[in-house]
Amino acid sequence: MAAGTVKTRRTFLVIFLFFSLLFSSSGQSSFTRQLIVQLNPGWSAPAPPGGDLLHIRAVGDNDTLHFLFCSQGAPTLLLVHTNSSSSSVKVDWTPFLARNTTGSLRVEPESSVLSSTALVFSRLLEYDDINDTASMTSDLFPPYELQNLSWSRMNSSDPFAPLCGSVVNSSGSICLQLSAFESEGRGQSWPRLLHTANSSQLGVWLDGVSPRAARSRFMLELQAVGGAYPLSRVDVHRSIDDEFTPSIFKASHWVSSANGSSEVVGFVRWRSVAFRRSKPALEDATPCRNSAPRPQSSEAAASGLIRAFYSNVETFGLNVSFGLAGEPFYNSTRFLSWTLLMGVGSPPVDSFSALVVAVMAVGLGAPVLVLLVGGVWICARKRAMEPTAAYEPIN
């Protein structure tokens, strides 16, 4: 009996390992990009006045993604997709620093540009949620204009270090941290967003900002700027898979489409969750919501990068609010973090991991296999025990 139990366990283990290897190998993406990082391209002095420009070239076999992260004015991430693996960025620094000349930043050859989208972090909004309704119609304090903050300098030795701005009349700061990727994977910390080589990730957090009321909640105002294909709608995707972000089943996709079709050209993606601690546990999660995108004037984006690259643009804005009624207020931890992806093509969609699929396959397949083998064994046993018919000898 013990030998049979050991043999059964070994059989289940072999089946489990087989399915794990099968699904892990089939789920891996072989598409990669080469990342080339440059700080303040074409600038010879130690650092330009007013802020920095980080350029990341993500080079594929026959195309290039140009990620441009700039702190001249409101922090901005510009993503330009070209159909050339040799396209480059040119900056005319004198008009670029003046922030009033279109064309002072170019991607060459200009004929190679397929699409472009920029995301501007324009304002931090705070309101007194005195009745604990988490309603954005509550009393708003004067907003923090992010273009007016004093931003830290980027460092060529660590270009992916956080970019932090000191909040006026507070010892705290708002920080942004950019990540770019050579291949498919997931973030190391919650919400562990799935990324590909066609996307970048931005982490945003408030740390130690002094609230102006005991029941303060915050909102972040974002502006999406684009040429032919602006980010104009938010689609909500629901999934039964919460393996990497427990209890969070929704993801928001702020997308642009070509000529009103269903084909997605670019996206900003986030899970509907923020966290109240820098090293969060599940109980530190807090829901977040977004308003519907609304068209805004082209002058609304207070970003030097936008003025330098675009001439004719369309701008849409929305607010992301953190916390629901009954949730702890910002003052409970004085920390709040949120993460998003920005990329080209369709957003990556979460699916069950190879481990979960293997467990499901074994869990569902093993009982069926046991029943099948058991049924065959019982039938064979019964047949073997049936008496043999007696025949009279033939003389």
Side-chain angles (χ1 to χ4, degrees):
M1 189 72 176
T5 303
V6 171
K7 188 174 181 180
T8 303
R9 288 177 179 175
R10 286 178 178 174
T11 303
F12 286 172
L13 180 60
V14 169
I15 296 173
F16 177 77
L17 292 175
F18 170 76
F19 280 108
S20 296
L21 292 173
L22 176 65
F23 287 106
S24 63
S25 60
S26 63
Q28 290 175 349
S29 173
S30 60
F31 177 69
T32 61
R33 291 184 180 275
Q34 179 187 7
L35 299 184
I36 303 169
V37 182
Q38 188 178 13
L39 182 62
N40 301 317
W43 179 263
S44 56
D52 294 299
L53 175 65
L54 178 65
H55 177 214
I56 303 171
R57 290 181 69 228
V59 183
D61 294 334
N62 52 17
D63 71 336
T64 302
L65 300 180
H66 295 272
F67 297 99
L68 294 143
F69 188 40
C70 185
S71 58
Q72 292 273 343
T76 303
L77 177 60
L78 170 64
L79 171 55
V80 183
H81 186 202
T82 72
N83 60 9
S84 169
S85 57
S86 59
S87 58
S88 60
V89 168
K90 303 295 182 184
V91 183
D92 296 330
W93 278 99
T94 300
F96 179 81
L97 294 175
R99 305 184 192 177
N100 58 10
T101 305
T102 296
S104 57
L105 184 145
R106 305 177 303 279
V107 174
E108 298 180 345
E110 294 184 11
S111 60
S112 68
V113 175
L114 298 174
S115 64
S116 64
T117 301
L119 187 65
V120 182
F121 294 80
S122 52
R123 298 196 299 175
L124 178 65
L125 308 172
E126 181 183 359
Y127 64 96
D128 185 6
D129 190 14
I130 189 170
N131 294 319
D132 194 14
T133 60
S135 171
M136 291 182 279
T137 59
S138 301
D139 293 336
L140 282 168
F141 293 104
Y144 295 108
E145 300 286 348
L146 300 190
Q147 63 172 322
N148 297 330
L149 300 190
S150 176
W151 293 97
S152 60
R153 304 305 307 217
M154 298 182 191
N155 193 333
S156 58
S157 61
D158 187 11
F160 296 115
L163 173 69
C164 295
S166 301
V167 176
V168 180
N169 299 325
S170 173
S171 58
S173 59
I174 177 172
C175 298
L176 300 93
Q177 187 169 26
L178 175 67
S179 301
F181 310 103
E182 295 179 340
S183 60
E184 182 178 313
R186 285 191 180 273
Q188 295 299 311
S189 58
W190 282 358
R192 299 203 63 196
L193 295 179
L194 175 66
H195 62 252
T196 69
N198 287 334
S199 61
S200 61
Q201 179 174 290
L202 265 174
V204 187
W205 63 88
L206 304 180
D207 189 4
V209 175
S210 300
R212 287 172 280 186
R215 295 192 165 201
S216 281
R217 297 193 192 275
F218 282 92
M219 297 182 292
L220 188 61
E221 181 184 86
L222 304 177
Q223 295 174 338
V225 181
Y229 311 120
L231 302 177
S232 56
R233 74 174 194 270
V234 174
D235 298 332
V236 178
H237 287 247
R238 291 174 172 83
S239 171
I240 62 172
D241 179 22
D242 69 338
E243 177 184 1
F244 297 101
T245 313
S247 75
I248 305 300
F249 299 96
K250 293 195 302 182
S252 296
H253 297 171
W254 193 4
V255 298
S256 62
S257 55
N259 301 320
S261 67
S262 58
E263 179 186 359
V264 174
V265 177
F267 66 88
V268 174
R269 180 181 190 269
W270 63 88
R271 284 279 193 175
S272 303
V273 64
F275 296 95
R276 294 189 297 269
R277 295 188 187 276
S278 58
K279 296 181 179 179
L282 181 60
E283 58 267 22
D284 300 316
T286 186
C288 63
R289 299 173 295 168
N290 62 270
S291 62
R294 294 183 178 179
Q296 299 187 352
S297 66
S298 58
E299 293 81 16
S303 164
L305 184 57
I306 298 299
R307 297 191 182 113
F309 182 76
Y310 287 106
S311 53
N312 299 316
V313 298
E314 285 193 66
T315 304
F316 286 81
L318 58 74
N319 295 329
V320 178
S321 62
F322 305 103
L324 299 178
E327 290 282 319
F329 299 100
Y330 172 78
N331 203 29
S332 63
T333 61
R334 297 201 176 190
F335 185 90
L336 194 64
S337 68
W338 180 61
T339 307
L340 60 85
L341 288 179
M342 182 176 179
V344 298
S346 297
V349 178
D350 288 298
S351 59
F352 291 114
S353 69
L355 177 63
V356 172
V357 173
V359 170
M360 292 171 62
V362 173
L364 296 175
V368 174
L369 183 62
V370 169
L371 290 174
L372 180 62
V373 173
V376 171
W377 183 84
I378 291 173
C379 289
R381 184 74 173 173
K382 284 185 176 181
R383 190 174 183 84
M385 295 178 65
E386 289 179 355
T388 303
Y391 293 96
E392 292 292 333
I394 299 176
N395 294 326

mmCIF file of all heavy atoms in Angstrom, residues 80-109:
data_model
loop_
_atom_site.group_PDB
_atom_site.id
_atom_site.type_symbol
_atom_site.label_atom_id
_atom_site.label_comp_id
_atom_site.label_asym_id
_atom_site.label_seq_id
_atom_site.Cartn_x
_atom_site.Cartn_y
_atom_site.Cartn_z
ATOM 1 N N VAL A 80 8.183 58.390 -28.575
ATOM 2 C CA VAL A 80 8.127 58.516 -30.033
ATOM 3 C C VAL A 80 8.513 57.172 -30.636
ATOM 4 O O VAL A 80 9.570 56.617 -30.319
ATOM 5 C CB VAL A 80 9.074 59.621 -30.548
ATOM 6 C CG1 VAL A 80 8.942 59.769 -32.060
ATOM 7 C CG2 VAL A 80 8.786 60.952 -29.855
ATOM 8 N N HIS A 81 7.666 56.659 -31.506
ATOM 9 C CA HIS A 81 7.898 55.375 -32.173
ATOM 10 C C HIS A 81 8.281 55.630 -33.626
ATOM 11 O O HIS A 81 7.555 56.324 -34.351
ATOM 12 C CB HIS A 81 6.631 54.521 -32.107
ATOM 13 C CG HIS A 81 6.816 53.139 -32.644
ATOM 14 N ND1 HIS A 81 5.761 52.355 -33.087
ATOM 15 C CD2 HIS A 81 7.936 52.377 -32.819
ATOM 16 C CE1 HIS A 81 6.218 51.186 -33.497
ATOM 17 N NE2 HIS A 81 7.528 51.181 -33.349
ATOM 18 N N THR A 82 9.409 55.099 -34.064
ATOM 19 C CA THR A 82 9.863 55.256 -35.450
ATOM 20 C C THR A 82 10.020 53.892 -36.106
ATOM 21 O O THR A 82 10.157 52.869 -35.430
ATOM 22 C CB THR A 82 11.207 56.007 -35.526
ATOM 23 O OG1 THR A 82 12.266 55.142 -35.052
ATOM 24 C CG2 THR A 82 11.187 57.271 -34.676
ATOM 25 N N ASN A 83 10.018 53.891 -37.442
ATOM 26 C CA ASN A 83 10.190 52.642 -38.188
ATOM 27 C C ASN A 83 11.634 52.430 -38.621
ATOM 28 O O ASN A 83 11.911 51.682 -39.557
ATOM 29 C CB ASN A 83 9.272 52.613 -39.412
ATOM 30 C CG ASN A 83 9.560 53.763 -40.379
ATOM 31 O OD1 ASN A 83 10.556 54.490 -40.233
ATOM 32 N ND2 ASN A 83 8.700 53.932 -41.366
ATOM 33 N N SER A 84 12.568 53.070 -37.927
ATOM 34 C CA SER A 84 13.987 52.957 -38.253
ATOM 35 C C SER A 84 14.772 52.588 -37.001
ATOM 36 O O SER A 84 14.511 53.120 -35.917
ATOM 37 C CB SER A 84 14.511 54.284 -38.823
ATOM 38 O OG SER A 84 15.927 54.269 -38.914
ATOM 39 N N SER A 85 15.736 51.693 -37.158
ATOM 40 C CA SER A 85 16.591 51.328 -36.025
ATOM 41 C C SER A 85 17.761 52.292 -35.860
ATOM 42 O O SER A 85 18.585 52.117 -34.957
ATOM 43 C CB SER A 85 17.118 49.900 -36.208
ATOM 44 O OG SER A 85 17.820 49.775 -37.430
ATOM 45 N N SER A 86 17.834 53.314 -36.714
ATOM 46 C CA SER A 86 18.924 54.288 -36.627
ATOM 47 C C SER A 86 18.420 55.714 -36.399
ATOM 48 O O SER A 86 19.194 56.667 -36.522
ATOM 49 C CB SER A 86 19.778 54.248 -37.901
ATOM 50 O OG SER A 86 18.981 54.541 -39.047
ATOM 51 N N SER A 87 17.141 55.886 -36.080
ATOM 52 C CA SER A 87 16.620 57.231 -35.817
ATOM 53 C C SER A 87 17.258 57.807 -34.566
ATOM 54 O O SER A 87 17.689 57.083 -33.665
ATOM 55 C CB SER A 87 15.099 57.192 -35.677
ATOM 56 O OG SER A 87 14.719 56.311 -34.635
ATOM 57 N N SER A 88 17.319 59.141 -34.503
ATOM 58 C CA SER A 88 18.019 59.813 -33.405
ATOM 59 C C SER A 88 17.270 61.062 -32.981
ATOM 60 O O SER A 88 16.369 61.544 -33.680
ATOM 61 C CB SER A 88 19.448 60.179 -33.829
ATOM 62 O OG SER A 88 19.409 61.056 -34.947
ATOM 63 N N VAL A 89 17.660 61.597 -31.819
ATOM 64 C CA VAL A 89 17.059 62.815 -31.274
ATOM 65 C C VAL A 89 18.054 63.964 -31.388
ATOM 66 O O VAL A 89 19.234 63.816 -31.053
ATOM 67 C CB VAL A 89 16.658 62.611 -29.799
ATOM 68 C CG1 VAL A 89 16.306 63.942 -29.131
ATOM 69 C CG2 VAL A 89 15.479 61.656 -29.703
ATOM 70 N N LYS A 90 17.585 65.118 -31.874
ATOM 71 C CA LYS A 90 18.394 66.321 -31.989
ATOM 72 C C LYS A 90 17.769 67.423 -31.147
ATOM 73 O O LYS A 90 16.557 67.659 -31.223
ATOM 74 C CB LYS A 90 18.488 66.786 -33.448
ATOM 75 C CG LYS A 90 19.059 65.733 -34.408
ATOM 76 C CD LYS A 90 20.507 65.408 -34.088
ATOM 77 C CE LYS A 90 21.067 64.394 -35.092
ATOM 78 N NZ LYS A 90 22.455 63.987 -34.753
ATOM 79 N N VAL A 91 18.584 68.096 -30.334
ATOM 80 C CA VAL A 91 18.100 69.160 -29.462
ATOM 81 C C VAL A 91 18.873 70.438 -29.753
ATOM 82 O O VAL A 91 20.108 70.447 -29.728
ATOM 83 C CB VAL A 91 18.269 68.793 -27.973
ATOM 84 C CG1 VAL A 91 17.677 69.893 -27.091
ATOM 85 C CG2 VAL A 91 17.606 67.453 -27.672
ATOM 86 N N ASP A 92 18.162 71.523 -30.062
ATOM 87 C CA ASP A 92 18.750 72.864 -30.140
ATOM 88 C C ASP A 92 18.553 73.515 -28.776
ATOM 89 O O ASP A 92 17.463 74.003 -28.452
ATOM 90 C CB ASP A 92 18.073 73.688 -31.238
ATOM 91 C CG ASP A 92 18.297 73.096 -32.628
ATOM 92 O OD1 ASP A 92 19.356 72.464 -32.825
ATOM 93 O OD2 ASP A 92 17.421 73.247 -33.491
ATOM 94 N N TRP A 93 19.590 73.489 -27.971
ATOM 95 C CA TRP A 93 19.432 73.775 -26.557
ATOM 96 C C TRP A 93 19.034 75.211 -26.246
ATOM 97 O O TRP A 93 18.260 75.448 -25.319
ATOM 98 C CB TRP A 93 20.716 73.404 -25.809
ATOM 99 C CG TRP A 93 20.762 71.941 -25.500
ATOM 100 C CD1 TRP A 93 21.435 70.979 -26.186
ATOM 101 C CD2 TRP A 93 20.069 71.269 -24.436
ATOM 102 N NE1 TRP A 93 21.206 69.743 -25.623
ATOM 103 C CE2 TRP A 93 20.381 69.897 -24.543
ATOM 104 C CE3 TRP A 93 19.228 71.686 -23.417
ATOM 105 C CZ2 TRP A 93 19.881 68.944 -23.665
ATOM 106 C CZ3 TRP A 93 18.735 70.739 -22.537
ATOM 107 C CH2 TRP A 93 19.052 69.391 -22.664
ATOM 108 N N THR A 94 19.496 76.167 -26.992
ATOM 109 C CA THR A 94 19.150 77.564 -26.674
ATOM 110 C C THR A 94 17.655 77.813 -26.769
ATOM 111 O O THR A 94 17.033 78.280 -25.804
ATOM 112 C CB THR A 94 19.930 78.527 -27.575
ATOM 113 O OG1 THR A 94 21.335 78.331 -27.362
ATOM 114 C CG2 THR A 94 19.557 79.970 -27.263
ATOM 115 N N PRO A 95 17.001 77.496 -27.895
ATOM 116 C CA PRO A 95 15.531 77.669 -27.925
ATOM 117 C C PRO A 95 14.808 76.654 -27.047
ATOM 118 O O PRO A 95 13.716 76.942 -26.537
ATOM 119 C CB PRO A 95 15.186 77.495 -29.401
ATOM 120 C CG PRO A 95 16.321 76.729 -29.987
ATOM 121 C CD PRO A 95 17.534 77.136 -29.206
ATOM 122 N N PHE A 96 15.401 75.480 -26.856
ATOM 123 C CA PHE A 96 14.753 74.488 -25.990
ATOM 124 C C PHE A 96 14.631 75.017 -24.566
ATOM 125 O O PHE A 96 13.579 74.884 -23.929
ATOM 126 C CB PHE A 96 15.549 73.184 -26.005
ATOM 127 C CG PHE A 96 14.971 72.097 -25.132
ATOM 128 C CD1 PHE A 96 13.916 71.319 -25.583
ATOM 129 C CD2 PHE A 96 15.470 71.848 -23.863
ATOM 130 C CE1 PHE A 96 13.371 70.313 -24.785
ATOM 131 C CE2 PHE A 96 14.939 70.852 -23.057
ATOM 132 C CZ PHE A 96 13.887 70.080 -23.525
ATOM 133 N N LEU A 97 15.684 75.641 -24.053
ATOM 134 C CA LEU A 97 15.654 76.166 -22.691
ATOM 135 C C LEU A 97 14.741 77.381 -22.577
ATOM 136 O O LEU A 97 14.230 77.677 -21.490
ATOM 137 C CB LEU A 97 17.075 76.514 -22.233
ATOM 138 C CG LEU A 97 18.029 75.322 -22.088
ATOM 139 C CD1 LEU A 97 19.438 75.808 -21.747
ATOM 140 C CD2 LEU A 97 17.533 74.354 -21.021
ATOM 141 N N ALA A 98 14.529 78.076 -23.696
ATOM 142 C CA ALA A 98 13.620 79.224 -23.672
ATOM 143 C C ALA A 98 12.163 78.782 -23.580
ATOM 144 O O ALA A 98 11.294 79.577 -23.197
ATOM 145 C CB ALA A 98 13.831 80.078 -24.918
ATOM 146 N N ARG A 99 11.883 77.533 -23.941
ATOM 147 C CA ARG A 99 10.558 76.926 -23.829
ATOM 148 C C ARG A 99 9.496 77.650 -24.658
ATOM 149 O O ARG A 99 8.327 77.728 -24.263
ATOM 150 C CB ARG A 99 10.099 76.846 -22.375
ATOM 151 C CG ARG A 99 11.046 76.128 -21.451
ATOM 152 C CD ARG A 99 10.462 76.001 -20.053
ATOM 153 N NE ARG A 99 11.458 75.566 -19.092
ATOM 154 C CZ ARG A 99 11.233 75.429 -17.789
ATOM 155 N NH1 ARG A 99 10.023 75.706 -17.296
ATOM 156 N NH2 ARG A 99 12.197 75.047 -16.969
ATOM 157 N N ASN A 100 9.887 78.203 -25.784
ATOM 158 C CA ASN A 100 8.905 78.920 -26.594
ATOM 159 C C ASN A 100 9.059 78.646 -28.084
ATOM 160 O O ASN A 100 8.485 79.360 -28.900
ATOM 161 C CB ASN A 100 8.996 80.433 -26.335
ATOM 162 C CG ASN A 100 10.393 80.987 -26.622
ATOM 163 O OD1 ASN A 100 11.243 80.298 -27.175
ATOM 164 N ND2 ASN A 100 10.613 82.248 -26.240
ATOM 165 N N THR A 101 9.847 77.635 -28.464
ATOM 166 C CA THR A 101 10.117 77.392 -29.875
ATOM 167 C C THR A 101 9.782 75.956 -30.240
ATOM 168 O O THR A 101 10.398 75.016 -29.729
ATOM 169 C CB THR A 101 11.595 77.676 -30.216
ATOM 170 O OG1 THR A 101 11.921 78.998 -29.811
ATOM 171 C CG2 THR A 101 11.835 77.509 -31.713
ATOM 172 N N THR A 102 8.810 75.795 -31.129
ATOM 173 C CA THR A 102 8.479 74.473 -31.647
ATOM 174 C C THR A 102 9.575 73.994 -32.589
ATOM 175 O O THR A 102 10.088 74.766 -33.400
ATOM 176 C CB THR A 102 7.142 74.526 -32.399
ATOM 177 O OG1 THR A 102 6.115 74.873 -31.481
ATOM 178 C CG2 THR A 102 6.822 73.185 -33.024
ATOM 179 N N GLY A 103 9.941 72.742 -32.478
ATOM 180 C CA GLY A 103 10.972 72.185 -33.342
ATOM 181 C C GLY A 103 12.358 72.231 -32.752
ATOM 182 O O GLY A 103 13.314 71.794 -33.400
ATOM 183 N N SER A 104 12.500 72.718 -31.522
ATOM 184 C CA SER A 104 13.826 72.741 -30.903
ATOM 185 C C SER A 104 14.240 71.343 -30.435
ATOM 186 O O SER A 104 15.406 71.125 -30.107
ATOM 187 C CB SER A 104 13.862 73.730 -29.739
ATOM 188 O OG SER A 104 12.876 73.423 -28.776
ATOM 189 N N LEU A 105 13.307 70.401 -30.425
ATOM 190 C CA LEU A 105 13.637 68.983 -30.207
ATOM 191 C C LEU A 105 12.975 68.200 -31.335
ATOM 192 O O LEU A 105 11.772 68.309 -31.568
ATOM 193 C CB LEU A 105 13.153 68.494 -28.844
ATOM 194 C CG LEU A 105 13.534 67.053 -28.476
ATOM 195 C CD1 LEU A 105 13.806 66.948 -26.981
ATOM 196 C CD2 LEU A 105 12.461 66.051 -28.878
ATOM 197 N N ARG A 106 13.788 67.403 -32.042
ATOM 198 C CA ARG A 106 13.296 66.670 -33.205
ATOM 199 C C ARG A 106 13.774 65.220 -33.151
ATOM 200 O O ARG A 106 14.830 64.926 -32.577
ATOM 201 C CB ARG A 106 13.802 67.292 -34.515
ATOM 202 C CG ARG A 106 13.497 68.760 -34.673
ATOM 203 C CD ARG A 106 14.087 69.317 -35.941
ATOM 204 N NE ARG A 106 15.532 69.116 -36.019
ATOM 205 C CZ ARG A 106 16.430 69.894 -35.407
ATOM 206 N NH1 ARG A 106 16.022 70.902 -34.656
ATOM 207 N NH2 ARG A 106 17.725 69.657 -35.537
ATOM 208 N N VAL A 107 12.995 64.348 -33.755
ATOM 209 C CA VAL A 107 13.417 62.977 -34.004
ATOM 210 C C VAL A 107 13.668 62.858 -35.498
ATOM 211 O O VAL A 107 12.779 63.133 -36.315
ATOM 212 C CB VAL A 107 12.359 61.963 -33.539
ATOM 213 C CG1 VAL A 107 12.761 60.545 -33.943
ATOM 214 C CG2 VAL A 107 12.172 62.029 -32.025
ATOM 215 N N GLU A 108 14.877 62.479 -35.855
ATOM 216 C CA GLU A 108 15.272 62.420 -37.263
ATOM 217 C C GLU A 108 15.596 60.985 -37.668
ATOM 218 O O GLU A 108 16.147 60.214 -36.860
ATOM 219 C CB GLU A 108 16.486 63.320 -37.503
ATOM 220 C CG GLU A 108 16.208 64.788 -37.215
ATOM 221 C CD GLU A 108 17.420 65.670 -37.465
ATOM 222 O OE1 GLU A 108 18.546 65.120 -37.579
ATOM 223 O OE2 GLU A 108 17.241 66.900 -37.554
ATOM 224 N N PRO A 109 15.292 60.632 -38.935
ATOM 225 C CA PRO A 109 14.549 61.424 -39.917
ATOM 226 C C PRO A 109 13.076 61.564 -39.522
ATOM 227 O O PRO A 109 12.485 60.605 -39.012
ATOM 228 C CB PRO A 109 14.710 60.634 -41.209
ATOM 229 C CG PRO A 109 14.957 59.223 -40.772
ATOM 230 C CD PRO A 109 15.706 59.312 -39.486
#
